[in-house]
């Protein structure tokens, strides 16, 4: 049986940040805590959110790490409770939004955060008591602003997913204006994150035709505009389309992701300094080739349809042309040539494979990977 649920209210346009007060009122938030990070603060975007709130009282937690941790969730939840907040505004990339989702759980539910992780059977323990959340993305990549999940590094070092429909932000305020100052490398890395979401969810075997259509259109937008946005950060049309591609990838990935994210989540847990979107870009060519020959890919002409969205003419059944186009795009965007250029060494492989096999995305890939399959994907991505 197909389960299809679309999903939350989205405000997408230049200048939509000014809608923050009305969205707080609509969500019943009288004193929000803004969750952000030092980079967003230093870029002046936190001040813009504060100004948009006007007279509404608020607290601030601006210590989100680049890969959000259980310890940071605890610290932010303490501020939330001590300041008497009744809702959250996440201003930043996926890290800040995911941290805010962790706070939404921790500030309103008893027990260790790990007990609410998806692979620990915790999804059903997350209830409607979660703190209401408004998400304001400042990057165009993760799509966490419209997603039901968060990825957090828990105290034992694992990078785990937390998933519940209760975690979906009440509103996503998607103002491309906030991405105009994003540096070229982060524009490229987050842009490829959005493209990876659109492609991997389109390859996932679950039945969800609306998700397929949304993901395919998101791929077309992302592929056509990521270079423009990276080359000229002030290109407003490119920034708008990249924000849309990011939203679309996450609207679609309720259908499931796969081995790209199993590997990225695991390696990101082993080395939290590695950027998630960049890892997705590194793994996508190898995983696409691994998936290419499956029955669902052939039956639904998925390679041909992705190639068309990417403006690629012919495409063989091994996905050769698409994989080559991904490698070439990564190079044009100035991303690393492979995992080795990011400092990854083969001695990490066994730990990464352990995590990938246990990841919540492992079983939603169109072809279930073995340990040896993952090892080959890692080697091919070096």
């Amino acid at each position: 049986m197909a389960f299809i649920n679309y999903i939350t209210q989205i405000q997408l346009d230049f200048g939509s940040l000014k809608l923050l007060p009305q969205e707080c009122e609509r969500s019943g938030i009288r004193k929000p805590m803004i969750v952000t990070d030092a980079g967003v603060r230093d870029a002046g975007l936190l001040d813009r959110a504060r100004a948009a709130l006007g007279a509404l009282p608020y607290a601030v937690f601006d210590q989100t790490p680049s890969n959000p941790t259980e310890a940071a969730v605890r610290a932010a939840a303490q501020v939330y409770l001590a300041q008497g907040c009744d809702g959250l505004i996440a201003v930043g990339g996926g890290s800040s939004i995911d941290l805010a989702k962790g706070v939404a759980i921790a500030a309103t539910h008893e027990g260790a955060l790990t007990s609410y992780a998806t692979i620990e059977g915790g999804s059903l323990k997350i209830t409607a008591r979660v703190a209401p959340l408004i998400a304001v993305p400042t990057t165009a990549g993760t799509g966490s602003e419209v997603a039901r999940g968060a990825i957090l590094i828990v105290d034992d070092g694992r990078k785990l997913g937390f998933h519940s429909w209760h975690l979906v932000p009440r509103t996503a305020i998607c103002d491309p204006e906030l991405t105009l100052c994003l540096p070229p490398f982060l524009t490229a890395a987050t842009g490829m994150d959005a493209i990876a979401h659109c492609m991997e969810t389109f390859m996932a075997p679950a039945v969800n035709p609306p998700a397929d259509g949304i993901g395919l259109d998101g791929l077309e937008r992302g592929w056509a505009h990521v270079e423009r946005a990276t080359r000229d950060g002030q290109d407003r049309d490119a920034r708008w389309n990249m924000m849309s591609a990011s939203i679309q990838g996450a609207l679609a990935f309720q259908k499931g992701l796969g081995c790209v994210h199993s590997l990225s989540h695991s390696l990101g847990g082993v080395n939290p300094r590695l950027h998630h979107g960049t890892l997705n870009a590194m793994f996508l060519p190898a995983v696409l080739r691994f998936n290419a020959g499956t029955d669902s890919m052939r039956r639904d002409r998925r390679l041909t349809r992705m190639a068309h969205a990417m403006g690629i003419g012919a495409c063989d059944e091994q996905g050769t042309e698409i994989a080559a186009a991904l490698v070439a795009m990564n190079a044009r965007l100035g991303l690393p040539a492979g995992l080795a250029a990011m400092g990854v060494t083969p001695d990490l492989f066994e730990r990464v494979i352990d995590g990938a096999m246990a990841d919540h995305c492992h079983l939603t890939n169109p072809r279930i990977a073995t340990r040896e399959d993952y090892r080959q994907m890692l080697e091919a991505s070096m």
Side-chain angles (χ1 to χ4, degrees), residues 347-362:
D347 61 290
L348 300 178
F349 283 5
E350 292 308 311
R351 290 173 61 194
V352 174
I353 293 167
D354 287 343
M357 294 289 291
D359 189 76
H360 63 275
C361 295
H362 170 67

Side-chain angles (χ1 to χ4, degrees), residues 12 140 217-218 221 239-249:
L12 170 61
D217 182 80
R221 291 177 188 276
R239 290 295 194 184
W240 192 98
N241 276 281
M242 289 310 300
M243 183 69 81
S244 182
S246 176
I247 295 167
Q248 290 175 252

Side-chain angles (χ1 to χ4, degrees), residues 1-5 165 207-208 254:
M1 179 180 294
F3 177 69
I4 299 170
N5 186 25
W165 295 107
V207 177
N208 192 327
Q254 62 162 292

Side-chain angles (χ1 to χ4, degrees), residues 152-176:
L152 303 166
I153 299 176
V154 297
D155 288 342
D156 63 15
R158 290 179 296 165
K159 195 170 189 179
L160 301 183
F162 296 75
H163 296 85
S164 169
W165 295 107
H166 298 301
L167 292 177
V168 177
R170 304 291 177 87
T171 300
I173 296 180
C174 300
D175 187 343

Side-chain angles (χ1 to χ4, degrees), residues 113-295:
L113 184 64
T114 306
S115 66
Y116 296 96
T118 301
I119 66 170
E120 300 291 342
S123 292
L124 294 179
K125 299 178 185 177
I126 301 172
T127 71
R129 296 197 312 275
V130 298
L133 168 62
I134 295 170
V136 185
T138 60
T139 65
T142 72
S144 188
E145 66 272 8
V146 296
R148 71 187 191 277
I151 304 297
L152 303 166
I153 299 176
V154 297
D155 288 342
D156 63 15
R158 290 179 296 165
K159 195 170 189 179
L160 301 183
F162 296 75
H163 296 85
S164 169
W165 295 107
H166 298 301
L167 292 177
V168 177
R170 304 291 177 87
T171 300
I173 296 180
C174 300
D175 187 343
E177 189 84 32
L178 302 180
T179 70
L180 294 177
C181 62
L182 198 65
F185 181 84
L186 282 177
T187 298
T190 55
M192 287 305 297
D193 193 15
I195 286 168
H197 292 158
C198 291
M199 295 184 74
E200 191 166 35
T201 197
F202 185 70
M203 290 187 282
V207 177
N208 192 327
D212 285 343
I214 291 169
L216 206 58
D217 182 80
L219 170 59
E220 185 171 1
R221 291 177 188 276
W223 194 259
H225 292 92
V226 66
E227 284 186 88
R228 283 175 50 187
T230 300
R231 184 172 59 249
D232 177 7
Q234 299 299 307
D235 185 329
R236 294 169 71 87
D237 179 62
R239 290 295 194 184
W240 192 98
N241 276 281
M242 289 310 300
M243 183 69 81
S244 182
S246 176
I247 295 167
Q248 290 175 252
L251 287 174
F253 72 45
Q254 62 162 292
K255 180 186 168 205
L257 292 165
C259 292
V260 171
H261 280 75
S262 296
L263 288 164
S264 292
H265 291 157
S266 181
L267 182 50
V270 171
N271 184 349
R273 294 185 299 275
L274 298 175
H275 185 267
H276 174 72
T278 309
L279 289 176
N280 283 346
M282 299 300 99
F283 287 127
L284 190 54
V287 173
L288 183 134
R289 288 191 294 265
F290 174 72
N291 289 341
T294 59
D295 289 343

Side-chain angles (χ1 to χ4, degrees), residues 298-356:
R298 289 197 187 100
R299 181 177 61 249
D300 298 323
R301 299 173 44 254
R302 296 196 181 274
L303 288 173
T304 300
R305 294 161 71 188
M306 285 191 292
H308 178 77
M310 297 163 70
I312 299 170
C315 177
D316 65 24
E317 291 190 356
Q318 288 72 49
T320 305
E321 292 84 0
I322 299 176
L326 288 165
V327 172
M329 177 66 83
N330 288 340
R332 291 199 301 275
L333 294 175
L335 295 177
L339 296 176
M342 300 174 69
V344 178
T345 53
D347 61 290
L348 300 178
F349 283 5
E350 292 308 311
R351 290 173 61 194
V352 174
I353 293 167
D354 287 343

